[in-house]
Amino acid sequence: MFPAELRIRNLSIRPATLLAPMAGVTDTIFRRVIRSLGGCGLIMTEFASAEGVTRSAAKTLRYLYFDQDEHPIAAQLFGANPEVMATAAALVEDLGFDQIDINLGCPAKKVVKCGGSGLLKDLRQLEQVLGAVRVAAKIPMTIKMRSGWDEANIVAVEVARMAEGIGVEAVAVHPRTRTQAYSGQADWSIIARVKQAVKIPVIGNGDIRVPQDAERMIAETGCDAVMIGRTAATNPWIFRQMGQYFATGHYDEPNETDRYRLLSGYFRSLVAADLPDAIGKMKQFACWFTHGVRNGGELRHEVHSARIPSEVLERVDSFFTRVADAYGA
Ligand SMILES: Cc1cc2nc3c(=O)[nH]c(=O)nc-3n(C[C@H](O)[C@H](O)[C@H](O)COP(=O)(O)O)c2cc1C
């Protein structure tokens, strides 16, 4: 049975499904696409630097922008300085987020020096960071971690126990090490070990591609909820498909019209928001999203050679018109 709800103190997450934070992807526009399709219980911002937040750096604050229809929503912070993290956590609470999450997973070189998975190498520092955030923020607090720095240092169980002791209220586990980055397969047995070690809810993450994977993760690990990242970028319908699958045993695939509506709607919102990196996002998303589309390679090529956002939109429109004409879709 897939859990209908994940409760983190007074926060009700229904169903027990979460959109994973993804830098460069899960901005307010993408998150609202996911919300509009249904089936996702909680969405999260891309990670934001606590240093940037406390300096009120415009770019960092943009990462923390959200719309009222995004609730419930969590903000994710990274940083290694307990005081700075505490100040940033208080700001996140003031902004009206429902939950605060601490990033203990980012493998990027410039991040591990000042937080992310780098904190998995220094558990004393980590304890101070979590303790400071816990004191500063009254809203539900969670962590999202990798399994450890490398194969010789798998610390997920230790970190989960420590976090629970400090008052962290749920823990998400992406069971790859920092050294692994995104290679190989996520080792779900580590999620199971964390689940057995703590009483707070455990959120499993890693390599869910179809609804059946989510069902298997819950069965194999006993985790309380699932979190999905990359699949949501290539198939934003995944959460809705999960809801349908758990209710009926089968799920629908989006057709060409669904794909066109989603892609052009998302791109139009990007253009309307006038983001400085709109064209980059359009190209990136077109690349991920068109793998299931007939003649997707052609569309990717057309989008990649566009120079301005409106040109991308025109090419998407004309591509799908051609597809519709050719196949009578
Ligand atoms: C492009 C990209 C950006 C990511 N950015 C973040 C981030 O900001 N914070 C974080 O905790 N994890 C980040 N992750 C990791 C994902 O949240 C997730 O843990 C990982 O992709 C494994 O889940 P998946 O197999 O469902 O994708 C990122 C992953 C990708 C692919």
Side-chain angles (χ1 to χ4, degrees), residues 20-23 25 45-47 76 101 103 105-106 144 174 176 182 205-208 227-231 284 288:
M22 287 184 285
V25 183
T45 67
E46 322 168 50
F47 68 174
Q76 191 187 60
D101 183 78
N103 178 311
C106 185
K144 176 171 177 288
H174 172 210
R176 280 190 175 84
Y182 291 95
N205 170 232
D207 300 349
I208 293 177
M227 176 184 268
I228 299 179
R230 289 166 294 175
T231 295
Q284 184 189 49
W288 285 332

Side-chain angles (χ1 to χ4, degrees), residues 145 147 154-162 190 193-194 197-198:
M145 63 171 157
S147 46
I154 302 290
V155 293
V157 165
E158 202 178 339
V159 168
R161 283 205 180 111
M162 180 219 279
I190 294 175
R193 275 167 35 210
V194 171
V198 293

